[in-house]
Amino acid sequence: MLQDHTKHLQFRIAGGDESALRELYECWSGQLFQLAMTIIRSRPLAEEIVEDVFLRIWQQRSRLEQIENLKSYSYILTRNISIDYLRKTSGKRIYNLDEVQLPPLLVEATPEELMISAELLKKINLAINDLPPKCRLIFKLVKMDGLKYRDVALLLNLQLKTVETQMSIALKRLHNAILFQLPAASRQ
């Protein structure tokens, strides 16, 4: 359903509808900002990069209908603009996923998820934040931002197998963190 809404906005933007671009900005700017901030590590520059992403989407609106996955496209555009900035200012690439500094991630609960105890939710958030940086970034992009494994691999210049492995590690750690320990007598 969300994919349909994105396609609808994409079509409207391609037709020159500025309000659709604003709506898309409101939906995605926070996620794109986090990615730019991860790479650039400067709030004002990350904000400027996100604005540049949406400016480019608007400038390229005549070709927008040819883009299959606008969300992946915008993530890759954010990454590329961020890396271009780093190359221009430092003369070298400073993009190491193992050194990524992400802000603590919080699982946002829907009404159904509010039934989960606060303690369990705390364990989940701790487990997510205890993941290695690359693993946490991949987990965030897949589970929280809704990107597909192949899109994350493309975005981060990784092999698809690496994304799969990192997700497997993340899910195993989360599983272990939330396992309910049954008393020894009841396990037998």
Side-chain angles (χ1 to χ4, degrees):
M1 183 185 293
L2 193 57
Q3 184 79 14
D4 292 338
H5 184 65
T6 299
K7 281 290 185 192
H8 178 70
L9 288 176
Q10 184 175 347
F11 178 76
R12 286 176 46 207
I13 294 167
D17 186 344
E18 290 182 37
S19 67
L21 182 69
R22 274 192 295 280
E23 190 175 336
L24 190 69
Y25 179 87
E26 289 172 14
C27 291
W28 292 354
S29 62
Q31 296 168 341
L32 298 178
F33 170 79
Q34 284 185 349
L35 177 60
M37 187 70 176
T38 297
I39 298 168
I40 295 290
R41 297 184 184 153
S42 164
R43 179 177 272 295
L45 291 174
E47 289 170 351
E48 187 175 321
I49 286 167
V50 171
E51 290 174 9
D52 285 350
V53 167
F54 286 95
L55 178 62
R56 287 197 191 174
I57 289 172
W58 181 251
Q59 290 170 338
Q60 297 173 0
R61 66 186 176 275
S62 63
R63 294 180 276 171
L64 214 52
E65 291 177 357
Q66 299 167 359
I67 296 171
E68 186 177 321
N69 187 328
L70 184 59
K71 188 166 191 174
S72 293
Y73 174 80
S74 62
Y75 271 79
I76 291 169
L77 193 56
T78 302
R79 178 203 62 190
N80 290 346
I81 293 172
S82 299
I83 291 172
D84 285 348
Y85 174 81
L86 287 177
R87 284 185 184 139
K88 288 176 186 172
T89 59
S90 68
K92 60 182 178 178
R93 186 174 175 175
I94 309 174
Y95 186 62
N96 182 350
L97 291 179
D98 292 322
E99 296 173 2
V100 167
Q101 298 295 319
L102 287 175
L105 300 175
L106 297 175
V107 174
E108 294 183 20
T110 63
E112 294 134 3
E113 295 166 335
L114 289 175
M115 295 172 59
I116 297 174
S117 72
E119 184 176 327
L120 181 57
L121 198 51
K122 184 177 178 182
K123 283 182 181 182
I124 292 170
N125 285 322
L126 285 172
I128 291 170
N129 288 314
D130 283 344
L131 293 172
K134 183 188 320 182
C135 189
R136 184 169 22 140
L137 178 59
I138 290 169
F139 180 82
K140 178 201 176 301
L141 291 171
V142 170
K143 292 297 185 183
M144 297 177 176
D145 294 347
L147 295 180
K148 294 180 178 6
Y149 285 19
R150 65 177 157 69
D151 295 332
V152 172
L154 181 64
L155 175 66
L156 300 177
N157 279 336
L158 298 172
Q159 296 292 320
L160 179 59
K161 189 69 178 166
T162 302
V163 173
E164 292 169 352
T165 301
Q166 292 296 312
M167 281 302 296
S168 176
I169 290 168
L171 293 172
K172 283 178 186 173
R173 288 192 180 185
L174 287 173
H175 175 76
N176 290 335
I178 62 174
L179 274 179
F180 291 101
Q181 300 297 324
L182 298 174
S186 66
R187 283 188 254 160
Q188 296 176 356

